[in-house]
Amino acid sequence: MLAFRETGPSGGVPVVLLHALGSKAGTWDDFAGRLTRRVLAVDLPGHGDSAHAESYSLETMADDVAELLGDEADLVGHSMGGRVAVLLAQRLPGRVRRLVVEDTPPPPLEALEPLAPAQEPFEPLPFDWRLIDPIMAELRRPDPVWWERLGAITAPTLLISGGPSSHVGRESLERMRGLIPDCRLVVVEDAGHRVHGSRPEEFAAVAGEFLGQG
């Protein structure tokens, strides 16, 4: 079971918020407070108040989130959470109504150099440090099928870029935009990787308008 924060009025199509690696549901408090809709801000597996798992992958995270969606939901995902949101939109086109992907790196076209293994921390972290290696390896691994399945996304999609100060290149996001049938890309200049944190008003204006009132 996933832990989540529920805010806003009951009923209606919910907005489900998915955080980045190492973050938790609370990262969305400001954005959730600006919406006038039912919001479910999720602690993904191994993060926040959600249980730690024996093993971690983006697919199993998507499986867990799918149980929260009900018949229909709008998804907002940042970085790793954006990759989970895209997987859900690819797999469950009838249940994902709108999709917002915030500064999320897509799979690289060529394999990247492997990272050094994560070391067990001296002090407790707000997430399970064991998820770092498998998730980072998956994020950095080429995946042609992921790119091919972007065409299966039926939800109107908004990609939000943090501009040149983010490590996520605009070229890769432009490629995503061209493969998702109904998609647009908005660049929030010099916002960096965590757009909803560095530019909360601009993020809320862009994403909130796209999501609408329910």
Side-chain angles (χ1 to χ4, degrees):
M1 292 290 294
L2 293 179
F4 59 89
R5 300 186 184 197
E6 184 170 1
T7 58
S10 60
V13 177
V15 180
V16 178
L17 307 177
L18 306 178
H19 60 73
L21 189 153
S23 188
K24 57 184 179 180
T27 189
W28 297 111
D29 284 353
D30 181 87
F31 179 59
R34 296 172 187 265
L35 297 176
T36 58
R37 296 178 52 184
R38 180 183 175 215
V39 177
L40 304 179
V42 176
D43 283 331
L44 289 167
H47 294 79
D49 293 328
S50 287
H52 293 190
E54 289 298 317
S55 61
Y56 295 95
S57 72
L58 299 176
E59 290 282 353
T60 57
M61 288 184 178
D63 290 339
D64 289 342
V65 174
E67 297 181 9
L68 291 178
L69 297 188
D71 294 333
E72 194 174 39
D74 292 346
L75 291 183
V76 179
H78 172 226
S79 197
M80 178 192 75
R83 287 281 289 271
V84 174
V86 169
L87 285 176
L88 287 164
Q90 291 172 331
R91 289 163 43 180
L92 305 171
R95 292 167 62 189
V96 177
R97 190 184 67 165
R98 286 185 176 271
L99 175 65
V100 178
V101 182
E102 178 196 352
D103 213 60
T104 292
L109 300 181
E110 298 180 358
L112 302 175
E113 289 291 326
L115 299 175
Q119 301 298 310
E120 184 171 0
F122 293 110
E123 298 180 358
L125 298 174
F127 64 96
D128 185 357
W129 71 276
R130 297 180 304 113
L131 64 82
I132 296 174
D133 287 344
I135 295 299
M136 287 302 299
E138 190 170 353
L139 291 173
R140 294 165 60 85
R141 184 184 308 133
D143 187 353
V145 174
W146 186 93
W147 286 100
E148 292 169 6
R149 289 179 178 170
L150 291 178
I153 295 175
T154 59
T157 301
L158 173 66
L159 306 180
I160 298 178
S161 165
S165 55
S166 169
H167 68 278
V168 181
R170 178 167 176 170
E171 185 175 308
S172 63
L173 298 180
E174 290 282 9
R175 186 165 187 258
M176 281 183 66
R177 183 190 61 78
L179 293 172
I180 299 173
D182 182 359
C183 183
R184 64 188 178 99
L185 170 63
V186 172
V187 179
V188 181
E189 294 292 347
D190 297 323
H193 183 50
R194 190 169 171 268
V195 185
H196 71 276
S198 64
R199 298 289 181 83
E201 292 186 0
E202 291 178 54
F203 180 86
V206 173
E209 179 183 357
F210 178 79
L211 293 168
Q213 300 301 313

